[in-house]
Structures are given as structure tokens and as C-alpha cells.
């Protein structure tokens, strides 16, 4: 009994030693690298094995799990998983034994890969944020998803083959490394206007330019490429001529050196449009990664213009696939304060109902400003009578908005009651403020903004005059009568002397 116990103990110890050796062998087993060319230095990759080796299957391969198998069967339109794998083998090697089997198409494979990589349940088991080259330890097919700031990657796949293997056990002793080329599209969209300082006046026409890159799309059946633009504080300059494009916006489209055309789009809800560019992402990806430039114009209607563009597939504008950008424009505002001319500034009285007209100089011409009923700029005129008179409130202030950079003059045309008109015009210059952050119209704006400028004008109180019929009038009358009497006396005396 004692000897039996020793033998069992020895067997158990031997088994433990064998298992320990196997663990070491498996840990140090064959490996291969997947090198991804054309990937940026900051690129990271998520990958999951979709096909694994299985000697019990006809082809020696099977799909890694049922969910992945379902994605491939749907993409290939097949019911048998081994048939799908055979087609993939034919695409890779040119044939499968002596069977006549059509090769898998690029469209089928890319569709299957996209569907696998888009499935969050499948990707829960994926290896995340790997760098290139990726190290793997088993033969088969790997689906790879690229992630890089400023780029959108198409789905990728790498086939890791046996280089050497044990013919008896089928266990690989060496794997082949793989090198694949990444297919990616820049998602950096740049939107600019022809007003470089980003300050305009209301009523000004602005031309917007958007630059991006035509994406490379996988060879799927549904190919979408759309651009959506939304604007506020401005209106698109639509066609006004009586033709088939009346009411539509003209958008010029340039792609590389081959496409230069104008498309006409409908305005949606008065403040947006969608530009359909599906024709420029054909199955052959003819224009992929070429620069695309679109331009269009709008008229400024308010003190702040917001303009946002998103590039994607049109199905979810909250998460555009190929980038987005914004362009903000602002207008300047000026406030003038009217007070009396008290020597002590703290004691100066703020005067209401002082009327002003605003003008600027354009070469030898003088242009006068017109404003709406909220004192927002509404155009220029060369006639002062057509200009809008703005008046100070009870606080002695009046503000005008919607102006461009430049120098403006305030001319007082109506004096407050009891005060004389100030004939010396006051000038104010609107200049650009370059700051990291500032407030414009109670909204914090980064980088470049324009601040409110202000000016002051003093008025002199009119001198007191004698009251009509008062003592001053009586005095002047008495003096006049005395002088007239004296003059008459002198006249009569001189006549008597002359008669004698």
C-alpha cells in the first residue's frame, strides 16, 4: 500500500512537471507580427481574430465564434461557413484543391470586416490600442480597426499563415509575418471666410471656403458622401434670376485638377443645406484622398454669424465620419455717453434725448449710417437727411451695433433741452483685439474678438436770459424814453435859436 502511494505521488508530480513545461512552451510558442504601413506615429489599433485554425474542419479553418460567422455569411450571401472560407482561400492563393469555386470579392470581404468592427459585442473581446507592428500568437485572419487623430481608417484584415508546423500534430512551430497597407482619409476640415480678421458689418456679403479630402470608402454597396452646412446670423445668397435654380444656393465644387463644377442646392429650414457628393466616391475610389474645395456666399444679417460644416454619410450628423469645422464672424459696437461740462467728472449730469448721426469717411466722400429700430446698422447713404438719428436714453448713453473695423464720427444734431449744441464731432476707432478669451455679446469667444468702444461728448448749459415783460424790459423802455425826450429838447432849442 505504501509503495502504491509512492507511485501515485510520483505520477502526480510528473504530471505537474509536464503541465509546467507545457505552459512554458505555450507561453513561448510561435509568434508573428502584423506591420501596418502608412500609419501615423500616434496611430493605435484594435484587433480581433475572426478565423482560427481547426483541423476538424474541411478547410482546416473556422470562424472564431457564431457572431463573427453570421457577419460573414450575411456579407457573402451564403449559408455554409466552409464555402465562405473556401472563397477567401481562392482569393488568397488562386485555387482550392480541384474544386471550381469563385474567389471572394473585395466588396464581400470589406463588408464583412466593417460589420464585425462595428459590432460592440464582438469588439468587447478585441485587443485595444495596440501599436504597429502588432504581435499575434496564432495563425488565422485578424480584423483590424485603426484609430488616429485627424484620420478615418477603412477596415483592414491580415492573414497569418503557417510557415512551419508539425505534420503529425498540426501544431505550428513557426508563423509568417504579414505586412499590410493602411487605407485612411484625413478628417481635417478647414472652413474660412474671405474676411480674414473675422469682423464684418451687417449687410456685407461673405464668401466661405471649405477644404477637405475626398474619403476612401470600402467597397460596400451603400456609398455615401455628403456635406451639411448650418448658418446663423446670415442668409445664403440664393439665385434670384427667373430660372430653374431660382431660390437655390450656388456651390462651386473643385476636386484635385479634374473636377470644377457648380451645384445648386435647396435651403433647408432657412438656415442649412446638404450637398450630395455621392458621385465622387465611386466603387473604384477614383478621387480618394484628393483635395476637395467648396465655396458659396452669404449675407450678414446680425451682430454675430455662426457657421458650422460637417462631413459624413448623412445618416448621423452628430458624429460625422470625415470631420467638421466652424467659422464665427463678429461685428463691432460703439457706445457714446452724453454729459454736461461740469469740471468735476464725478458731478457731471448724464443727459437724455441728445440726438446724433453717425458717419465715416470714404476717401473724399462722407457716408452716413442708417440703423433699424434697435440701433443695428442698416446701410449707408451719402445724404445726411436720410441718415438715422439716434438718441441717448435716461442714462445719457446710446449704443450702435453691426459695424466693421474703422473710424466713425458722431455728429450731434439735437441738443438736450436747456443745453447748447456741441458742434465738435467726436470720433471713435474700432480695432481688433487679439486675446485668448473675451466676452462678445455676453458670449465667451476664443482667439480673436472685437470689443465695445466708447466715446464721450460734453454739452454746455445755455445762459439765462431776461424774462419777457420783466424788469429788464422796463429798464430798456425808460432809458429809451429819456433819450428820446432829451433828443427832442435839443431839437426844439436849436430851432428857436435858428428862428431868432
Amino acid at each position: 500500500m505504501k509503495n502504491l502511494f509512492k507511485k501515485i505521488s510520483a505520477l502526480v508530480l510528473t504530471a505537474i512537471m509536464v503541465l509546467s513545461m507545457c505552459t512554458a512552451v505555450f507561453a513561448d510558442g510561435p509568434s508573428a507580427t502584423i506591420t501596418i504601413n502608412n500609419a501615423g506615429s500616434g496611430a493605435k489599433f484594435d484587433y480581433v481574430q475572426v478565423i482560427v485554425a481547426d483541423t476538424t474542419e474541411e478547410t482546416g479553418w473556422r470562424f472564431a465564434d457564431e457572431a463573427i460567422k453570421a457577419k460573414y455569411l450575411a456579407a457573402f450571401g451564403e449559408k455554409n461557413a466552409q464555402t465562405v472560407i473556401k472563397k477567401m482561400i481562392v482569393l488568397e492563393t488562386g485555387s482550392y484543391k480541384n474544386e471550381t469555386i469563385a474567389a471572394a470579392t473585395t466588396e464581400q470581404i470589406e463588408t464583412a470586416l466593417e460589420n464585425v468592427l462595428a459590432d460592440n459585442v464582438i469588439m468587447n473581446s478585441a485587443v485595444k490600442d495596440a501599436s504597429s507592428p502588432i504581435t499575434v500568437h496564432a495563425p488565422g485572419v485578424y480584423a483590424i480597426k485603426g484609430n488616429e487623430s485627424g484620420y478615418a481608417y477603412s477596415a483592414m484584415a491580415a492573414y497569418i499563415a503557417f510557415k512551419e508546423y508539425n505534420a503529425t500534430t498540426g501544431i505550428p512551430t513557426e508563423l509568417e509575418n504579414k505586412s499590410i497597407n493602411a487605407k485612411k482619409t484625413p478628417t481635417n476640415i478647414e472652413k474660412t471666410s474671405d474676411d480674414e480678421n473675422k469682423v464684418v458689418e451687417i449687410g456685407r456679403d461673405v464668401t466661405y471656403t471649405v477644404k477637405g479630402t475626398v474619403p476612401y470608402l470600402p467597397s460596400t454597396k451603400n456609398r455615401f458622401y455628403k456635406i451639411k452646412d448650418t448658418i446663423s446670423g446670415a442668409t445664403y445668397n440664393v439665385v434670384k434670376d427667373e430660372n430653374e435654380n431660382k431660390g437655390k444656393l450656388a456651390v462651386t465644387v473643385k476636386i484635385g485638377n479634374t473636377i470644377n463644377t457648380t451645384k445648386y442646392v435647396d435651403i433647408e429650414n432657412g438656415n442649412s443645406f446638404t450637398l450630395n457628393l455621392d458621385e465622387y466616391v465611386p466603387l473604384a475610389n477614383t478621387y480618394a484622398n484628393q483635395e476637395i474645395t467648396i465655396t458659396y456666399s452669404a449675407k450678414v444679417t446680425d451682430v454675430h454669424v455662426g457657421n458650422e460644416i460637417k462631413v459624413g454619410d448623412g445618416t448621423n450628423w452628430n458624429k460625422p465620419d470625415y470631420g467638421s469645422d466652424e467659422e464665427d464672424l463678429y461685428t463691432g459696437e460703439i457706445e457714446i455717453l452724453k454729459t454736461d461740462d461740469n469740471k468735476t467728472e464725478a458731478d457731471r449730469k448724464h443727459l437724455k434725448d441728445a440726438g446724433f448721426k453717425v458717419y465715416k469717411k470714404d476717401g473724399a466722400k462722407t457716408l452716413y449710417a442708417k440703423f433699424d429700430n434697435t440701433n443695428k446698422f442698416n446701410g449707408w447713404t451719402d445724404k445726411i437727411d436720410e441718415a438715422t438719428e439716434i438718441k441717448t436714453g435716461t442714462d445719457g448713453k446710446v449704443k450702435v451695433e453691426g459695424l466693421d473695423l474703422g473710424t466713425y464720427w458722431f455728429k450731434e444734431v439735437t441738443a438736450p433741452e436747456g443745453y447748447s449744441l456741441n458742434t465738435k464731432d467726436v470720433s471713435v476707432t474700432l480695432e481688433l483685439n487679439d486675446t485668448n478669451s473675451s466676452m462678445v455679446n455676453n458670449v465667451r469667444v476664443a482667439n480673436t474678438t472685437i470689443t465695445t468702444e466708447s466715446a464721450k461728448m460734453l454739452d454746455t448749459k445755455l445762459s439765462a436770459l431776461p424774462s419777457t415783460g420783466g424788469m429788464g424790459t422796463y429798464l430798456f423802455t425808460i432809458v429809451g424814453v429819456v433819450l428820446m425826450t432829451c433828443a427832442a429838447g435839443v431839437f426844439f432849442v436849436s430851432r428857436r435859436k435858428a428862428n431868432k
Side-chain angles (χ1 to χ4, degrees):
M1 187 70 177
K2 188 175 181 180
N3 290 335
L4 178 61
F5 177 77
K6 286 183 178 180
K7 289 181 179 180
I8 292 174
S9 297
L11 287 172
V12 171
L13 182 61
T14 302
I16 292 173
M17 292 177 63
V18 169
L19 287 172
S20 300
M21 291 176 62
C22 289
T23 302
V25 169
F26 293 148
D28 297 328
S31 65
T33 59
I34 302 172
T35 301
I36 303 172
N37 303 316
N38 195 36
S41 58
K44 297 294 183 180
F45 302 93
D46 302 341
Y47 67 92
V48 62
Q49 189 169 6
V50 292
I51 296 179
V52 299
D54 187 343
T55 56
T56 65
E57 296 287 351
E58 179 186 355
T59 61
W61 304 98
R62 66 171 172 81
F63 289 106
D65 60 38
E66 290 299 314
I68 291 173
K69 180 173 75 172
K71 300 295 184 185
Y72 274 83
L73 291 176
F76 279 70
E78 292 284 348
K79 295 182 178 180
N80 186 282
Q82 288 299 299
T83 300
V84 172
I85 293 176
K86 288 178 183 179
K87 289 185 173 185
M88 295 173 68
I89 292 172
V90 172
L91 179 65
E92 181 75 17
T93 64
S95 64
Y96 179 75
K97 297 182 178 178
N98 294 322
E99 296 184 27
T100 302
I101 296 177
T105 66
T106 304
E107 179 180 344
Q108 290 172 330
I109 291 177
E110 289 187 339
T111 299
L113 289 172
E114 289 286 345
N115 292 341
V116 167
L117 296 175
D119 191 309
N120 292 329
V121 176
I122 293 175
M123 294 305 289
N124 280 338
S125 62
V127 177
K128 305 292 177 60
D129 295 331
S131 299
S132 176
I134 297 169
T135 300
V136 296
H137 300 279
V141 176
Y142 294 82
I144 304 170
K145 180 180 181 179
N147 302 287
E148 182 180 352
S149 177
Y151 291 90
Y153 278 77
S154 297
M156 297 173 283
Y159 167 55
I160 300 299
F162 297 101
K163 190 172 184 180
E164 297 289 343
Y165 65 94
N166 186 311
T168 303
T169 63
I171 298 175
T173 56
E174 191 173 356
L175 303 176
E176 289 186 351
N177 295 328
K178 190 72 173 181
S179 177
I180 61 176
N181 294 319
K183 296 174 181 177
K184 62 180 185 178
T185 296
T187 57
N188 295 325
I189 302 299
E190 181 184 13
K191 181 165 198 171
T192 58
S193 69
D194 59 354
D195 201 305
E196 294 182 359
N197 55 37
K198 299 182 186 296
V199 182
V200 296
E201 69 183 21
I202 292 176
R204 180 76 54 82
D205 285 339
V206 178
T207 298
Y208 287 99
T209 300
V210 178
K211 291 188 177 182
T213 305
V214 179
Y216 174 93
L217 298 186
S219 298
T220 54
K221 294 179 180 179
N222 299 317
R223 306 178 66 81
F224 301 103
Y225 180 37
K226 293 177 174 62
I227 293 177
K228 184 169 185 177
D229 186 272
T230 304
I231 201 167
S232 61
T235 57
Y236 297 112
N237 286 330
V238 298
V239 176
K240 296 181 179 179
D241 297 338
E242 293 292 339
N243 57 44
E244 69 274 13
N245 294 316
K246 183 178 180 180
K248 295 184 178 182
L249 176 66
V251 182
T252 62
V253 179
K254 296 181 180 179
I255 300 179
N257 297 318
T258 55
I259 301 297
N260 188 349
T261 187
T262 300
K263 291 183 173 292
Y264 295 89
V265 296
D266 292 318
I267 304 303
E268 305 162 5
N269 301 318
N271 69 340
S272 67
F273 69 83
T274 300
L275 180 63
N276 189 331
L277 299 172
D278 292 352
E279 64 185 290
Y280 301 119
V281 285
L283 201 59
N285 283 300
T286 310
Y287 307 103
N289 293 319
Q290 293 188 40
E291 184 181 70
I292 180 171
T293 302
I294 71 169
T295 58
Y296 55 91
S297 69
K299 183 182 292 293
V300 178
T301 60
D302 211 337
V303 295
H304 169 225
V305 181
N307 195 223
E308 180 183 37
I309 196 155
K310 295 182 178 182
V311 185
D313 65 4
T315 59
N316 187 349
W317 293 114
N318 293 324
K319 296 179 180 179
D321 295 332
Y322 307 111
S324 63
D325 196 17
E326 297 180 5
E327 174 79 346
D328 288 295
L329 301 175
Y330 300 91
T331 63
E333 59 185 45
I334 301 174
E335 182 180 86
I336 188 166
L337 170 64
K338 185 72 170 178
T339 68
D340 62 16
D341 60 352
N342 193 307
K343 290 183 179 180
T344 305
E345 186 171 351
D347 295 331
R348 287 176 184 169
K349 183 180 179 181
H350 292 195
L351 305 177
K352 70 172 184 176
D353 293 331
F356 297 93
K357 291 194 175 183
V358 181
Y359 67 91
K360 72 174 183 178
K361 296 177 181 178
D362 184 12
K365 294 176 62 178
T366 299
L367 299 177
Y368 298 91
K370 295 187 288 184
F371 300 94
D372 65 14
N373 56 10
T374 63
N375 289 345
K376 290 180 181 178
F377 177 74
N378 196 30
W380 296 104
T381 176
D382 58 0
K383 297 179 178 61
I384 190 170
D385 292 342
E386 296 178 357
T388 304
E389 181 179 354
I390 56 173
K391 288 194 173 184
T392 56
T394 55
D395 60 355
K397 299 177 181 178
V398 62
K399 181 175 69 175
V400 292
E401 301 177 285
L403 300 171
D404 202 347
L405 300 178
T407 300
Y408 301 86
W409 278 263
F410 284 74
K411 175 185 286 294
E412 187 174 15
V413 293
T414 301
E417 184 178 354
Y419 290 83
S420 60
L421 198 68
N422 191 330
T423 58
K424 186 177 180 180
D425 299 348
V426 173
S427 67
V428 181
T429 299
L430 286 173
E431 296 178 326
L432 201 63
N433 268 350
D434 290 324
T435 58
N436 290 328
S437 180
S438 62
M439 297 297 291
V440 175
N441 299 327
N442 297 320
V443 177
R444 184 163 294 281
V445 180
N447 299 325
T448 303
T449 62
I450 185 169
T451 59
T452 300
E453 295 295 340
S454 60
K456 294 180 180 179
M457 181 180 280
L458 307 180
D459 268 4
T460 303
K461 196 169 185 178
L462 293 172
S463 300
L465 296 174
S467 300
T468 303
M471 181 58 70
T473 304
Y474 294 142
L475 179 62
F476 287 128
T477 302
I478 292 169
V479 171
V481 170
V482 171
L483 289 175
M484 291 175 65
T485 302
C486 291
V490 171
F491 174 74
F492 285 118
V493 170
S494 62
R495 288 291 299 274
R496 289 183 66 183
K497 287 182 178 180
N499 290 335
K500 289 179 178 181

